[in-house]
Amino acid sequence: MAGIGFELRKLLRGDSFLSLLRGYGYAGIISSGPWVISICGMMAIGVLGASGAHGARLGPFQVAITWLTALSLIFTGPLQLMLSRFVADRLFAEQADRVLPNLLGALGLNTLLAALTAGVPLACLFEEPLGVRLLLLSCFVVLCDLWVLVVMLSGLKEYRAILGVFALGYGLSVAAALGLRNFGLAGLLSGFLLGQAWMLVALFALVMRRYPLKEPVAFDFLRRKQAFYGLAAVGFLYNLGVWADKLLFWMDPATSEPVLGPLRASLIYDLPMFLAYLSLIPGMAVFLVRIETDFAEQHTAFYAAVRKGGRLPEIERLRGGMVSAVRRGLYEIFKVQGLTILLLLLAGPRLLAAFGISPFHLPLYSIDLIAAGGQVLLLAVLNVFFYLDQRKVAVLLTLELLVLNLVLTLLSMNLGTRFYGYGFAGAVFVTALTGLAVLSRKLDRLEFETFMLQP
């Protein structure tokens, strides 16, 4: 934790505009780089592959990868946070030798369950050739394992390593997919799978290099005293909550069309949302800088003083510093993301034209921009609750996000095209505002809850 905070603090040192730009630019690259690379990689396959003899098959390829990404994130949501917390606790307890055996146990269990979960629908609901179905199954399993590793290494602040692996891995995916494009959908999926599999091996090798292996496999992360099932619920509810509106649009025949087997796509909903998500980069940069510098330092100092029996005035002073860091961070996220949204709203018509998207999508693009900004704010609030170990609050907030997104999106779909996107935006903002209200109360009562709720 201290490593990335120290790097960011070093880059931000100095009062010049260049120092500021360098620090936030670095934070933006390492926080948003992997998913931006993923999106750009998919776009590269789409644009460059369209010139091939089988360009018509790119639609099914992109839809398949989008579905695989969504379902694999939802499927692995429970394991992502639970394993990350287990690893962090073992490192804090100076038990680094427990990391690798449990990671192997988690990946083995994850691989088995993912293969069984995806294998049945692929066998029963798809009529594509066996080779294509096997490739879809392989991509799903590899993506599931990859998310577990990425989230675990993100928790360990290995942002630069993840970024480098994603850059090389997606480069390999694009090159291989384009090289195999004449084999149609099977060729494109094979190329994509090759790059993802390389990324999985590279990230696993990084873990192996850092942590000892004294036993082949372990499942301590599932033991009741060491497992945090509240985090598992948060991981599942958050991922399902974020994808719920997309799944509803994809599954409704009135807003989607069949593309590959039972997989459908919603052209009217997907394209503006895809573009709006790129606006997250500035907000994510501010989020990383403020969480990993000001807040992380104040948080560490506050709980160190509590553990060492510090005097009350000192504890109150450190609590005040932590509260100020949270408020300053949330305010800066609101300010920077708000300015980004404003600029992108003004540039909306030109941006849509540059990406070949119809002006008909402009209202949906606008509300998607606002929803994406709200998602950054919600992520920041949830992250502070993770630092404060407020798992029950995080569970309730993510449950609220899921329920609101389902209800409001169904309502917006019934109201007509002018209201598309308002369901997700409303769900994100109402949940973020709820989180801010609860966070304010928690921070006001921090000393009381810290001492009175100790076991």
Side-chain angles (χ1 to χ4, degrees), residues 109-429:
L109 187 61
N110 192 49
T111 300
L112 178 63
L113 293 177
L116 291 174
T117 303
V120 174
L122 280 168
C124 300
L125 303 178
F126 286 73
E127 296 180 353
E128 278 63 33
L130 179 61
V132 171
R133 282 182 283 169
L134 288 174
L135 284 167
L136 289 171
L137 176 64
S138 302
C139 287
F140 180 74
V141 172
V142 169
L143 282 174
C144 284
D145 288 340
L146 191 57
W147 300 139
V148 173
L149 267 173
V150 167
V151 173
M152 191 192 93
L153 288 170
S154 296
L156 298 175
K157 315 302 177 191
E158 296 285 356
Y159 297 116
R160 282 189 302 180
I162 295 171
L163 179 64
V165 169
F166 264 67
L168 291 173
Y170 268 91
L172 181 58
S173 274
V174 172
L178 296 182
L180 296 169
R181 61 184 170 178
N182 287 335
F183 294 96
L185 180 59
L188 295 176
L189 287 172
S190 299
F192 178 79
L193 177 62
L194 183 62
Q196 304 304 301
W198 181 86
M199 289 161 59
L200 179 63
V201 172
L203 291 177
F204 186 74
L206 178 68
V207 179
M208 282 195 70
R209 195 176 61 184
R210 299 197 175 184
Y211 301 105
L213 182 62
K214 294 186 177 178
E215 59 180 295
V217 65
F219 296 93
D220 299 339
F221 65 98
L222 293 175
R223 288 184 180 177
R224 192 166 62 88
K225 290 186 177 180
Q226 296 184 346
F228 291 88
Y229 290 105
L231 289 177
V234 172
F236 176 72
L237 291 170
Y238 177 78
N239 282 294
L240 186 56
V242 167
W243 286 96
D245 57 307
K246 290 87 173 168
L247 293 172
L248 287 175
F249 271 87
W250 293 345
M251 291 188 289
D252 188 341
T255 57
S256 66
E257 58 185 28
V259 178
L260 179 68
L263 304 185
R264 308 175 68 89
S266 176
L267 191 65
I268 189 173
Y269 196 73
D270 294 348
L271 289 177
M273 182 65 76
F274 157 77
L275 197 55
Y277 263 110
L278 293 177
S279 70
L280 290 175
I281 298 172
M284 292 298 292
V286 176
F287 166 74
L288 184 66
V289 167
R290 290 304 163 205
I291 291 294
E292 297 300 341
T293 55
D294 298 347
F295 178 73
E297 291 171 4
Q298 297 291 340
H299 172 272
T300 303
F302 174 78
Y303 283 100
V306 170
R307 284 195 303 272
K308 294 175 181 176
R311 300 181 62 185
L312 182 59
E314 181 191 6
I315 290 175
E316 287 180 336
R317 181 182 61 78
L318 291 170
R319 186 199 71 85
M322 193 163 62
V323 172
S324 297
V326 171
R327 287 177 177 162
R328 188 165 54 249
L330 293 175
Y331 172 70
E332 287 198 12
I333 289 172
F334 187 81
K335 185 173 63 176
V336 171
Q337 195 63 33
L339 181 61
T340 303
I341 290 171
L342 182 61
L343 292 174
L344 290 176
L345 283 174
L346 293 173
R350 291 184 178 179
L351 277 175
L352 292 185
F355 281 88
I357 300 175
S358 166
F360 175 72
H361 293 89
L362 186 58
L364 181 56
Y365 162 78
S366 302
I367 193 65
D368 285 345
L369 277 177
I370 296 171
Q375 192 172 341
V376 178
L377 192 61
L378 177 59
L379 275 172
V381 171
L382 284 173
N383 207 56
V384 174
F385 280 126
F386 289 148
Y387 266 94
L388 300 178
D389 203 21
Q390 294 288 335
R391 280 165 275 147
K392 288 183 182 176
V393 176
V395 170
L396 292 175
L397 283 176
T398 48
L399 179 61
E400 180 185 352
L401 173 68
L402 172 60
V403 172
L404 283 178
N405 199 9
L406 287 172
V407 172
L408 296 180
T409 298
L410 285 172
L411 180 62
S412 70
M413 292 169 74
N414 285 325
L415 289 174
T417 54
R418 286 190 305 166
F419 295 91
Y420 287 178
Y422 281 85
F424 181 55
V428 167
F429 267 98

